[in-house]
Amino acid sequence: MATSDIGGATPDQPVGARRIESLDLLRGFAVLGILAANVVGFARTGPYYYWGILHPAGFWEEAGWLIQYLFLDGKLRGLFALLFGAGMAIFVDRAAARRGMAGALLLQGRRLLWLALFGALHYYLLFFGDILLDYAVVGLVAMLFLPLGARALLFIGLFASFYMGIMGGIALWPADELAALDAPAASEARSGYDAEVEAMRGQSHASDAVRKTGSFTDLVAWRHETRSVWDRIAFMPVTGPGYLGLMLLGAALYRMGFFSGGWSRRGMIVWGATGIVATIVFTLPLAIMGIQYNHYPAVSFWVQFGPASLLRLPMILGYAALLVAFAPALGRTALGRRMAAAGRMAFTNYIASSVLMGAVFLGWGLGLYGDWHRLALWAWAAGGMAVMLLWSAPWLARFRFGPLEWLWRCLTYMKLFPIRRRDEDAADAGIASNGSPAKRDI
């Protein structure tokens, strides 16, 4: 697997360190793809697992939901968690070479606390579906396992993933709702449930006005009143094991050479394709169940967050394996180089996509919030992806880091790092001086 010299060493990137370019490509794929899933949360009434009672389910809307459920929901978020774990392992391993393991973990802890602040601000100011706060809080737990070896991390990561999937499948099973939905239309059970659904529908639509016409401060107040940051943190013992498992798996795979070409390319391709097909086969019955029961809330919640949290794992690993296997070939294409540049600025691009989508759909921007068709929303998402692909490489031709990556680094070390790059730095980064990705063999 190709690597490149990192221009301008910093304390966590010592001189001579080599950048694993497949990680940049993977981050780019994840930050682009997650927008296709998140755009629904910006543009129309939610929560998204209530959509069956909030939006008409015509053929194309249903087809769009099926595609999103099978290939996007949870997969890109999971891929980010996997890469986050790999990134933590890289950071700690390199910092430990200079500071010792204790010093490296203290530095990582400070880094994650700053990320938690970024996540809380992103949640309140821009997007209800922020993942940075979750990653930071769970990361504070995950980093305590990093002194362990790769096999131990792999075992614990798999255990946490299986625990989340099995316990979620059991705890969230919608027995009462299924009984009500299967009851005769005129029965007391069904009429009572229909009344509950009407209340849910009204509660969900109650936020439409503030999201469509509210000011920036109105939306901040609404997010806090609806669910504060402290409420989210208090709920993380429920949601955290899934993220923890993926982070530890990412750390283990990094140390086992998965991302740097240490595994058979042919095996990676076979494994990756098999993983993607396996998740489709495993989750398609859940999707059919959701469609059969019209995506009613408790059924939809179980379909999204029950056993699917485990069943999507083969596809997450499959995406990673295929992209690592094809990284050298993709790195020779203009699209692959631009995707890698977007990945080097994944933090900045993730926040920037929230600014862009908020400016389009929310009241402080154009206020286009409403009953958008899912396929039309993907067109908006494609526009956001294009912006990320177009601006990341020119920025990195002039600067060593994305804006937020630079700020996060400075806050972590409590010192000011240079951000502008010299021409030779741009060449090392594989970016031409005119802002286009430089053509070079990798």
Side-chain angles (χ1 to χ4, degrees), residues 165-397:
I166 294 170
M167 295 304 296
I170 296 171
L172 299 177
W173 176 249
D176 293 340
E177 181 170 72
L178 291 174
L181 289 172
D182 290 335
S187 67
E188 182 179 349
R190 182 57 190 263
S191 60
Y193 178 70
D194 288 342
E196 291 179 13
V197 167
E198 282 303 312
M200 294 178 194
R201 183 181 288 115
Q203 185 179 21
S204 295
H205 281 299
S207 66
D208 287 352
V210 70
R211 296 173 80 177
K212 184 174 179 62
T213 63
S215 67
F216 192 89
T217 54
D218 289 337
L219 282 159
V220 172
W222 166 72
R223 293 187 189 102
H224 179 69
E225 292 167 3
T226 302
R227 192 182 188 195
S228 73
V229 161
W230 304 115
D231 290 336
R232 286 191 59 197
I233 293 174
F235 196 65
M236 284 184 195
V238 177
T239 59
Y243 289 136
L244 177 65
L246 287 164
M247 289 178 190
L248 297 182
L249 287 175
L253 290 174
Y254 159 69
R255 289 178 176 169
M256 296 168 72
F258 176 88
F259 297 106
S260 55
W263 295 25
S264 161
R265 181 174 182 272
R266 182 175 180 179
M268 296 272 278
I269 293 171
V270 172
W271 179 31
T274 301
I276 291 171
V277 171
T279 289
I280 294 172
V281 171
F282 294 152
T283 57
L284 187 57
L286 303 184
I288 292 171
M289 178 183 177
I291 294 170
Q292 178 185 355
Y293 283 97
N294 230 4
H295 305 281
Y296 270 73
V299 174
S300 187
F301 198 86
W302 185 82
V303 166
Q304 292 282 355
F305 302 113
S309 60
L310 172 62
L311 300 179
R312 66 173 66 108
L313 180 60
M315 183 174 286
I316 293 169
L317 296 175
Y319 283 159
L322 288 180
L323 284 166
V324 170
F326 289 107
L330 287 170
R332 290 189 286 269
T333 68
L335 177 61
R337 291 189 293 270
R338 288 192 177 274
M339 189 181 297
R344 291 188 66 175
M345 294 173 52
F347 182 17
T348 295
N349 278 322
Y350 176 66
I351 301 296
S353 66
S354 293
V355 174
L356 183 60
M357 294 298 107
V360 171
F361 295 111
L362 299 182
W364 56 266
L366 298 178
L368 298 183
Y369 177 91
D371 277 330
W372 282 89
H373 193 285
R374 192 180 299 264
L375 299 185
L377 290 178
W378 285 350
W380 283 105
M385 295 177 198
V387 171
M388 287 188 264
L389 290 171
L390 288 172
W391 91 290
S392 298
W395 176 275
L396 289 174

Side-chain angles (χ1 to χ4, degrees), residues 367-429:
L368 298 183
Y369 177 91
D371 277 330
W372 282 89
H373 193 285
R374 192 180 299 264
L375 299 185
L377 290 178
W378 285 350
W380 283 105
M385 295 177 198
V387 171
M388 287 188 264
L389 290 171
L390 288 172
W391 91 290
S392 298
W395 176 275
L396 289 174
R398 295 164 177 81
F399 302 98
R400 302 166 73 193
F401 316 104
L404 290 180
E405 285 79 5
W406 173 78
L407 178 59
W408 188 21
R409 183 178 296 252
C410 292
L411 291 171
T412 296
Y413 292 99
M414 303 302 293
K415 64 180 292 187
L416 195 64
F417 289 100
I419 187 170
R420 295 193 65 88
R421 68 163 73 249
R422 303 181 300 273
D423 287 343
E424 58 267 30
D425 293 334
D428 284 342

Side-chain angles (χ1 to χ4, degrees), residues 22-98:
S22 65
L23 287 174
D24 291 334
L25 191 68
L26 280 162
R27 291 188 187 103
F29 174 80
V31 77
L32 294 171
I34 205 168
L35 181 55
N38 285 349
V39 67
V40 178
F42 281 102
R44 65 186 198 181
T45 306
Y48 66 90
Y49 45 84
Y50 281 15
W51 82 274
I53 66 171
L54 299 172
H55 306 283
F59 173 80
W60 290 109
E61 175 69 22
E62 195 77 84
W65 174 85
L66 183 61
I67 292 170
Q68 181 167 332
Y69 178 73
L70 291 178
F71 296 99
L72 298 177
D73 284 346
K75 284 77 174 180
L76 285 309
R77 190 171 64 245
L79 184 58
F80 257 135
L82 191 81
L83 297 172
F84 193 83
M88 284 202 302
I90 293 171
F91 184 95
V92 167
D93 289 353
R94 289 176 176 170
R98 294 191 175 198

